Amino acid sequence: MKKRITLIAALMLVALSVSPVFAAIPTTSILAVVEGESVTIQTANFPANNTFHVYMGFNGTYGMNGYLVSKLTTGDGGSFRAKFPIPEELAGGDIIAIRVESVTDNRYYSYNWFYNDSDADNSSYTGAAPILPPGFPTFDITGVVKGETVTIRTRYLPPETRYAVLMKKGDSSVLTWYEVAGIETAEGNVLIATFNIPEELRYAEKIAIKLYSINDGFVTYNLFENKNQ
């Protein structure tokens, strides 16, 4: 009987040792902003001994395809503060997206956004995964002919909605957008469309593109390199 009890106890210990451990979700909170210069964040639940890239991008992009502004290592992980420069290309924007993403393990990432205003209250939102809510209207860049055209593929666009398509120089703080086309979503969701790059942007290294809903003012952005792809 004693041997049986010992064996059961050993099996229980093995079962406990192989039970899955669910890591807490990494989050970031905005602590302070110096308009056009820097943002300070507070992290929570970050894994130890990991390396993260920090990206910033236009409002609505969730930091995806954004500007790489820094790299950080987490040390003991958990909670810590970090300060990052706002890239020159975004310094004139009203709202900036920030994304912190693990270089080694894509399970770990966090998203947030902040008002580019030293006096604004940026403390009301804590960003975390998932990066895009289910059904969030967005689009991917699927092809570029340098200086001539860009092709996009949309996802989750609502039906019967009109969008204006605009572009601007993506590596500049200049806020001049050029309207290049208009589209109607018909049944919505997935659309594939090709747009001409305006003459003013033919030689830009990076170009920002946005879809602006005529119906409700919703905006979704992306950024692409002006090279054949």
Side-chain angles (χ1 to χ4, degrees), residues 56-68:
M56 293 189 198
F58 295 103
N59 179 33
T61 64
Y62 290 78
M64 294 161 58
N65 299 314
Y67 296 97
L68 179 62

Side-chain angles (χ1 to χ4, degrees), residues 7-19:
L7 178 59
I8 292 172
L11 290 172
M12 290 177 65
L13 287 173
V14 171
L16 288 172
S17 68
V18 297
S19 297

Side-chain angles (χ1 to χ4, degrees), residues 206-225:
K206 294 183 179 180
I207 297 174
I209 178 173
K210 71 178 178 181
L211 304 185
Y212 173 83
S213 171
I214 304 299
N215 297 51
D216 58 15
F218 174 83
V219 178
T220 182
Y221 297 86
N222 212 324
L223 184 73
F224 64 92
E225 293 189 25

Side-chain angles (χ1 to χ4, degrees), residues 65-229:
N65 299 314
Y67 296 97
L68 179 62
V69 298
S70 187
K71 182 172 73 172
L72 62 88
T73 54
T74 58
D76 293 333
S79 299
F80 54 90
R81 295 185 179 189
K83 183 177 181 180
F84 307 110
I86 293 172
E88 181 180 349
E89 296 84 356
L90 301 174
D94 294 329
I95 299 176
I96 298 173
I98 181 170
R99 171 187 173 111
V100 185
E101 180 178 303
S102 172
V103 176
T104 56
D105 189 338
N106 61 13
R107 293 179 303 169
Y108 298 117
Y109 53 83
S110 182
Y111 150 79
N112 212 326
W113 58 268
F114 59 90
Y115 293 105
N116 186 21
D117 184 338
S118 303
D119 299 321
D121 180 9
N122 279 296
S123 61
S124 60
Y125 181 74
T126 299
I131 295 178
L132 287 178
F136 184 89
T138 185
F139 64 95
D140 301 310
I141 306 298
T142 60
V144 176
V145 178
K146 183 178 179 180
E148 295 184 18
T149 63
V150 58
T151 300
I152 69 168
R153 184 179 189 272
T154 70
R155 289 180 287 160
Y156 309 121
L157 288 193
E160 300 179 357
T161 304
R162 296 175 58 206
Y163 284 86
V165 183
L166 302 100
M167 298 185 198
K168 72 177 285 291
K169 193 173 182 182
D171 56 0
S172 169
S173 58
V174 175
L175 299 180
T176 302
W177 289 87
Y178 300 95
E179 185 169 355
V180 298
I183 59 173
E184 302 242 1
T185 60
E187 295 180 358
N189 198 9
V190 177
L191 299 172
I192 297 175
T194 298
F195 307 109
N196 292 327
I197 294 172
E199 183 72 24
E200 295 86 350
L201 303 177
R202 284 187 62 188
Y203 302 105
E205 291 185 8
K206 294 183 179 180
I207 297 174
I209 178 173
K210 71 178 178 181
L211 304 185
Y212 173 83
S213 171
I214 304 299
N215 297 51
D216 58 15
F218 174 83
V219 178
T220 182
Y221 297 86
N222 212 324
L223 184 73
F224 64 92
E225 293 189 25
N226 186 18
K227 63 181 183 181
N228 294 329
Q229 51 184 289

